[in-house]
Amino acid sequence: MAEAHQHIAALLSEERVFEPPPDFVAGALVKDRSIYERAEADYQAFWAKQAERLAWFRRWESVMDWQPPWVKWFVGGTLNASFNCLDRHVEAGGGDKVAYHWEGEPGEQRTITYKELLDEVSRFANALKALGVGRGDRVAIYLGMVPELPVAMLACARIGAPHSVVFGGFSSDSLRDRINDAEAKVLVTQDGGYRRGALVPLKANADEALAECPSIQHVVTVRRAGNEHAFTAGRDHWYHELIEEQIPDCPPEEMDAEDPLYILYTSGTTGKPKGIVHTTGGYMTAVTATHRLIFDIHDDDVYWCAADIGWVTGHSYIVYGPLANHTTSVMYEGAPDWPDKDRLWSIAERNRATILYTAPTAIRAFMRWGPEHPEKHDLSSLRLLGTVGEPINPEAWVWYWKYIGGGRCPIVDTWWQTETGCILITPLPGVIPLKPGSATLPFPGIQADVVDEEGNSVPLGGGGYLVLKRPWPAIARTIWGDPDRYVQTYFSKYGPDIYVAGDGAKRDEDGYFWLLGRIDDVMNVAGHRLSTYEIESALVDNPKVAEAAVVSRPDDVVGEAIVAFVTLKSGYEGDESVAAELREHVAKKIGKIARPHALIFTNDLPKTRSGKIMRRLLRDVARGRPLGDVTTLANAEVVEQIHDMVQTGARTEE
Ligand code: WTA
């Protein structure tokens, strides 16, 4: 281990630039930079060319119609996402190719071909229709990483019903709020899922949520773990019984390019999650093109995106992009350290994976566990690696490059968001020299910039706000039910034609982008977006809590750790048992991922004279930074007290 660290330190201090390896370049889809010039010369023509890789029922009349901030792509065109992911490959003779090599956490394996996937999707699409789901109806999906998850998504896409996938790690309250916001008609869930050997009672959680979800008419339950749960006659159905009754033939709906394909909720700066709406034509075009060009997809690749489909990464790069490209993927249900810390490497070895796409938080965990785990396995099939979700520390980058990639695989560090739908800043692995920690350059056709408070472009070498200055096909079209919030959140700071990402960034002298994290009250915990406000609301929801402020501090493994400052109502004592109770309360309100790592009980919180909690000061305290100017505070003394408490360890850590 010590030796490994010395080696990495040496590599880092060289500030090496990693040129695309010649062997990789020889076989790469993109070998020279002319694609950037062509796309820059006419970005609409570039995207139209990408759209031609899809099957359209009717060709578009115009490529783009931009009435800032509103944009439409492939206007007048019609297509079906599920047809593009399945039928056209089967019709072309590619039905026997494996779509997913699936592995359950307890160890079962399933191989699903494109033909099998098409049959099951068609059956389930018919089943949804039989339950009364039609074009435009919303279907909520609350499943773990089981094959029925992509089946359910594609079945919805087939009949034109937007899906809203809710991450299986979310609590029943989070599920309830998302179902109600979208007014979903049907919920698809499973009896139980496996996580680190334990059972996650998804159906029981769902039942709790459904007590307050008037829009839900039917619940479809996938049998996975065989655990007991309640069954409501007339409302509840078994997935396997429904599909048995249906024929494997369901004509795909002809959808308009701008019809919504799905809603996916993500955290913003307020307590209410935003229902990000993605459409059919533009989204499918952009995820298909970016997946193919960034991951250099060849016919014989075995591609593994080790994210959860409950997040946008899984929507775009486990389901829609890879399937539209007729790619063979690996899909794994469970935890990376179950039963042992080499689980991922054994799966990669057995399936001869050629591409692996995962998150920095996972890479930091692998690094902590040590190189002996990957070293037990033959990972020589890998030829390309990727990361997503947060900035990757150069040390973790080099570890990944050396111990997983064997020093031969380029790493694509891909920056994007739920709202952007597809990757926007990334290397193309055959042409762009890599710098550990930098997402490098905008994808062809994307115009990204770093601007100051007034919106002026910051010269190379400087930092500021990351913005996007022209539309791309996969940009979210709105926030479900709240177009004003869409305009306010993304297009108000610099005007309706400039998308504000909410991230800080700097560019170096070569124009490479270095992402600096969020500039708003959104945290990035283990690659998951959480809003400080949402966690504060959950804490205050507990009857013992008077007030709470949540900030983050950097953490070696999860990226940002959650620090909660809590003032209890009088009569309550801030001790270990209350801390444990509050953590559980947050888990129940939002999900386990949102549990504070540290809880600090204080008598008061620092406030401005107008009564606003000064989170900036608390962030300094949590990070052990010297305190800045506190003279504008109404209660300056409280900062000193809190500061002393943190210094003396008067807090509870998980
Ligand atoms: C962060 C995940 C640095 C960023 C696809 C963004 C990154 C937020 C990177 C979106 C990266 C994502 N480097 N930061 N390569 N990728 N981020 O919506 O702060 O879950 O705004 O989408 O993750 O998170 P979301």
Side-chain angles (χ1 to χ4, degrees):
M1 242 342 239
E3 209 178 297
H5 271 290
Q6 272 168 17
H7 190 76
I8 285 168
L11 285 172
L12 277 174
S13 62
E14 285 176 45
E15 287 190 13
R16 238 162 94 173
V17 173
F18 293 70
E19 296 290 337
D23 282 358
F24 186 92
V25 179
L29 288 179
V30 182
K31 297 182 206 288
D32 65 70
R33 286 193 183 222
S34 64
I35 187 170
Y36 289 93
E37 287 143 31
R38 269 180 285 132
E40 206 43 43
D42 187 346
Y43 72 97
Q44 295 190 33
F46 169 77
W47 286 117
K49 202 156 170 255
Q50 303 304 321
E52 279 165 6
R53 301 188 65 86
L54 296 176
W56 295 78
F57 295 134
R58 195 170 73 221
R59 199 184 157 87
W60 55 91
E61 280 141 28
S62 69
V63 177
M64 186 183 92
D65 173 12
W66 189 18
Q67 315 282 338
W70 310 106
V71 70
K72 294 182 178 146
W73 282 85
F74 310 112
V75 183
T78 63
L79 75 168
N80 182 283
S82 136
F83 182 89
N84 272 283
C85 289
L86 303 169
D87 308 54
R88 66 177 176 135
H89 305 314
V90 175
E91 285 171 13
D96 292 335
K97 187 170 177 178
V98 173
Y100 293 111
H101 289 291
W102 178 82
E103 186 162 321
E105 195 186 72
E108 328 85 304
Q109 290 163 30
R110 264 177 79 183
T111 291
I112 302 149
T113 65
Y114 274 85
K115 175 77 176 76
E116 289 164 347
L117 194 56
L118 172 59
D119 284 359
E120 185 137 336
V121 166
S122 302
R123 285 177 194 271
F124 192 52
N126 283 331
L128 287 173
K129 282 207 255 184
L131 294 177
V133 179
R135 275 177 88 107
D137 288 336
R138 277 81 59 209
V139 174
I141 303 177
Y142 183 59
L143 290 170
M145 284 287 283
V146 291
E148 290 80 2
L149 175 47
V151 169
M153 293 163 75
L154 293 163
C156 289
R158 197 163 190 87
I159 62 175
H163 53 72
S164 164
V165 177
V166 179
F167 172 55
F170 274 131
S171 67
S172 54
D173 285 8
S174 295
L175 174 64
R176 175 199 62 204
D177 294 347
R178 285 158 176 76
I179 288 174
N180 289 340
D181 188 78
E183 295 174 282
K185 202 166 176 180
V186 167
L187 171 69
V188 184
T189 186
Q190 70 189 75
D191 52 1
Y194 294 103
R195 187 73 191 177
R196 212 164 263 122
L199 189 96
V200 186
L202 290 162
K203 175 62 162 63
N205 291 350
D207 277 329
E208 220 181 302
L210 292 178
E212 295 170 295
C213 295
S215 61
I216 292 288
Q217 297 173 6
H218 294 282
V219 178
V220 181
T221 304
V222 173
R223 190 157 66 195
R224 166 76 186 111
N227 52 312
E228 291 285 316
H229 56 81
F231 203 88
T232 304
R235 185 197 74 180
D236 287 5
H237 313 267
W238 282 112
Y239 172 91
H240 59 272
E241 288 178 1
L242 290 188
I243 61 167
E244 255 166 41
E245 293 162 6
Q246 300 295 336
I247 55 161
D249 182 21
C250 172
E253 282 286 319
E254 183 171 345
M255 304 306 290
D256 189 273
E258 284 294 315
D259 277 334
L261 176 62
Y262 67 79
I263 306 170
L264 181 61
Y265 286 84
T266 190
S267 295
T269 51
T270 71
K272 193 171 175 242
K274 303 178 283 198
I276 299 300
V277 178
H278 283 295
T279 54
T280 309
Y283 175 82
M284 286 303 293
T285 297
V287 296
T288 307
T290 50
H291 177 254
R292 176 169 170 271
L293 296 171
I294 296 164
F295 297 104
D296 188 50
I297 297 299
H298 289 65
D299 194 39
D300 56 356
D301 271 316
V302 178
Y303 161 89
W304 187 7
C305 169
D308 192 291
I309 294 176
W311 309 106
V312 75
T313 304
H315 280 59
S316 297
Y317 299 109
I318 299 179
V319 182
Y320 290 110
L323 293 176
N325 284 320
H326 198 209
T327 307
T328 294
S329 285
V330 173
M331 186 176 163
Y332 169 55
E333 178 183 41
D337 56 351
W338 189 266
D340 290 307
K341 294 187 169 62
D342 65 341
R343 183 66 187 268
L344 295 196
W345 318 124
S346 84
I347 297 172
E349 177 178 29
R350 185 169 41 260
N351 291 295
R352 305 298 297 153
T354 58
I355 302 167
L356 177 68
Y357 187 33
T358 187
T361 184
I363 298 164
R364 288 191 297 266
F366 304 148
M367 196 164 105
R368 207 179 46 162
W369 298 339
E372 57 272 28
H373 302 290
E375 276 166 357
K376 274 188 235 151
H377 297 277
D378 173 10
L379 299 180
S380 62
S381 55
L382 287 171
R383 63 181 195 88
L384 178 64
L385 302 175
T387 75
V388 57
E390 55 178 316
I392 181 164
N393 350 34
E395 190 187 13
W397 194 103
V398 173
W399 192 94
Y400 194 33
W401 179 81
K402 182 169 161 50
Y403 291 106
I404 307 303
R408 82 188 164 266
C409 307
I411 299 177
V412 288
D413 176 349
T414 63
W415 177 89
W416 59 298
Q417 307 176 298
T418 306
E419 296 86 338
T420 71
C422 69
I423 297 167
L424 295 186
I425 304 181
T426 176
L428 290 181
V431 289
I432 303 296
L434 308 173
K435 299 184 188 184
S438 169
T440 75
L441 300 168
F443 185 79
I446 300 299
Q447 196 186 7
D449 198 1
V450 175
V451 300
D452 63 18
E453 199 60 47
E454 280 72 49
N456 306 308
S457 191
V458 174
L460 296 187
Y465 300 97
L466 177 65
V467 297
L468 296 150
K469 291 187 156 171
R470 66 162 86 108
W472 61 97
I475 184 175
R477 298 300 195 266
T478 189
I479 292 174
W480 182 260
D482 201 348
D484 293 344
R485 188 174 178 198
Y486 175 79
V487 178
Q488 183 58 35
T489 309
Y490 309 109
F491 294 100
S492 63
K493 194 169 166 74
Y494 304 115
D497 51 352
I498 298 191
Y499 173 89
V500 180
D503 279 6
K506 66 171 199 231
R507 266 177 312 185
D508 66 17
E509 53 293 347
D510 297 324
Y512 275 43
F513 285 74
W514 298 76
L515 278 305
L516 302 174
R518 303 288 308 184
I519 45 151
D520 53 18
D521 290 327
V522 176
M523 292 181 286
N524 197 326
V525 180
H528 301 147
R529 258 168 80 166
L530 294 167
S531 113
T532 54
Y533 186 86
E534 234 175 313
I535 302 173
E536 287 168 6
S537 307
L539 286 165
V540 175
D541 179 76
N542 183 287
K544 292 183 182 145
V545 175
E547 205 166 41
V550 169
V551 298
S552 71
R553 65 167 148 76
D555 181 272
D556 284 349
V557 175
V558 295
E560 285 185 81
I562 305 168
V563 183
F565 295 87
V566 175
T567 307
L568 295 176
K569 289 182 186 154
S570 60
Y572 294 110
E573 202 56 50
D575 56 19
E576 285 290 341
S577 89
V578 177
E581 177 186 334
L582 294 184
R583 279 200 185 89
E584 275 327 295
H585 192 77
V586 174
K588 174 151 175 32
K589 297 303 289 182
I590 305 173
K592 285 187 180 154
I593 46 171
R595 279 182 304 198
H597 297 89
L599 264 165
I600 301 165
F601 293 104
T602 68
N603 295 328
D604 200 359
L605 292 168
K607 295 198 187 106
T608 61
R609 285 169 214 275
S610 64
K612 273 184 89 161
I613 297 174
M614 291 286 284
R615 290 189 183 71
R616 182 174 55 79
L617 284 173
L618 292 171
R619 212 171 290 141
D620 288 344
V621 172
R623 294 173 184 204
R625 286 201 291 240
L627 292 174
D629 183 13
V630 295
T631 50
T632 54
L633 289 184
N635 52 352
E637 68 296 341
V638 68
V639 186
E640 292 298 335
Q641 284 167 15
I642 296 173
H643 189 253
D644 292 346
M645 286 173 65
V646 173
Q647 296 303 308
T648 54
R651 59 177 174 184
T652 71
E653 294 269 353
E654 177 122 292

